[in-house]
Amino acid sequence: GENVEQHPSTLSVQEGDSAVIKCTYSDSASNYFPWYKQELGKRPQLIIDIRSNVGEKKDQRIAVTLNKTAKHFSLHITETQPEDSAVYFCAEQYGNKLVFGAGTILRVKS
Amino acid sequence: DAGVIQSPRHEVTEMGQEVTLRCKPISGHNSLFWYRQTMMRGLELLIYFNNNVPIDDSGMPEDRFSAKMPNASFSTLKIQPSEPRDSAVYFCASSIQSLNTEAFFGQGTRLTVV
């Protein structure tokens, strides 16, 4: 079945540094890989996504890479800011089913 | 559109009582998901519907949990009887049923069973 592993579970970086969160998935038929950000007490919201026919996608300070052969995908945040502090979830979509990783608590220290 | 609307926002109930959580998806969305979020288990997919039909309920933890979607604009998640270990935040999300589309989450219902 679908399974997404996410690492690390917590990440602490200095403001201005980069942060990288990695996920692996098990189902080779998965074709859509979104990333969600959840601030304390709020709902998860999509920040970036990538489809299986693309290797990399960038949106300002956020980028996502996908390696379908290795079944890895990663979130990269550059020039981190205090407002980037939140929980980040990767997810895989198999058919219409959306399954999430366990989440990464990112803390940006100023 | 007001987005996905869930009610109530908070629910405190006694063990053994029936609890009903409600969700109104975004108009035009025909996929609906129920998730449970806890510190220990993260975001667990409980069940999802396409065009009001339950597709996969393998995440529903026990027979005490049931979900319905009587029409395109309304879904319920019911727990009967409730137990303290059911305490969690329950999220509903909706999307357009096609490949590679964003799921929009409601504000969630924080359930506390005492």
Side-chain angles (χ1 to χ4, degrees):
Chain A
E2 308 79 18
N3 184 40
V4 183
E5 293 190 4
Q6 183 171 346
H7 300 279
S9 56
T10 60
L11 179 60
S12 186
V13 300
Q14 201 67 34
E15 181 178 0
D17 288 350
S18 295
V20 180
I21 302 170
K22 298 181 179 181
C23 289
T24 60
Y25 62 99
S26 57
D27 200 317
S28 57
S30 295
N31 48 31
Y32 176 61
F33 305 92
W35 287 87
Y36 283 75
K37 176 183 179 182
Q38 186 179 27
E39 297 177 349
L40 188 62
K42 297 191 176 180
R43 74 187 87 185
Q45 292 188 289
L46 181 77
I47 55 171
I48 195 167
D49 55 16
I50 191 166
R51 292 161 176 76
S52 58
N53 58 345
V54 175
E56 185 173 356
K57 182 178 178 180
K58 190 173 181 180
D59 182 3
Q60 299 182 348
R61 296 186 297 108
I62 296 173
V64 58
T65 57
L66 172 64
N67 182 330
K68 284 210 72 179
T69 302
K71 297 182 186 174
H72 290 170
F73 58 114
S74 300
L75 178 71
H76 304 252
I77 305 174
T78 59
E79 301 173 25
T80 53
Q81 301 168 5
E83 52 264 38
D84 294 330
S85 296
V87 181
Y88 291 81
F89 293 94
C90 63
E92 66 164 333
Q93 184 179 55
Y94 174 75
N96 195 224
K97 185 174 181 177
L98 191 61
V99 177
F100 286 84
T104 297
I105 300 171
L106 174 63
R107 182 186 305 162
V108 180
K109 297 179 289 185
S110 55
Chain B
D1 199 315
V4 177
I5 299 173
Q6 291 187 244
S7 65
R9 291 291 308 278
H10 303 273
E11 176 80 34
V12 180
T13 190
E14 291 185 347
M15 182 174 63
Q17 296 297 306
E18 177 180 296
V19 176
T20 300
L21 311 181
R22 297 172 175 79
C23 176
K24 181 181 187 311
I26 292 173
S27 177
H29 284 193
N30 54 1
S31 287
L32 184 141
F33 307 83
W34 281 101
Y35 291 91
R36 177 172 68 176
Q37 185 173 34
T38 61
M39 287 293 293
M40 293 298 295
R41 301 175 71 92
L43 268 168
E44 300 175 271
L45 177 63
L46 301 178
I47 185 171
Y48 78 98
F49 297 82
N50 283 347
N51 296 313
N52 314 338
V53 177
I55 302 301
D56 187 338
D57 64 355
S58 59
M60 297 285 262
E62 299 172 35
D63 290 346
R64 299 184 295 107
F65 285 70
S66 62
K68 294 182 179 180
M69 192 163 186
N71 57 62
S73 58
F74 184 65
S75 177
T76 60
L77 178 67
K78 186 177 294 186
I79 308 173
Q80 165 63 21
S82 58
E83 297 182 3
R85 60 194 169 116
D86 301 332
S87 298
V89 179
Y90 290 81
F91 284 103
C92 173
S94 72
S95 69
I96 297 172
Q97 183 198 352
S98 65
L99 297 179
N100 313 331
T101 58
E102 177 181 357
F104 292 84
F105 282 76
Q107 299 264 41
T109 294
R110 180 173 294 278
L111 173 65
T112 303
V113 183
V114 298

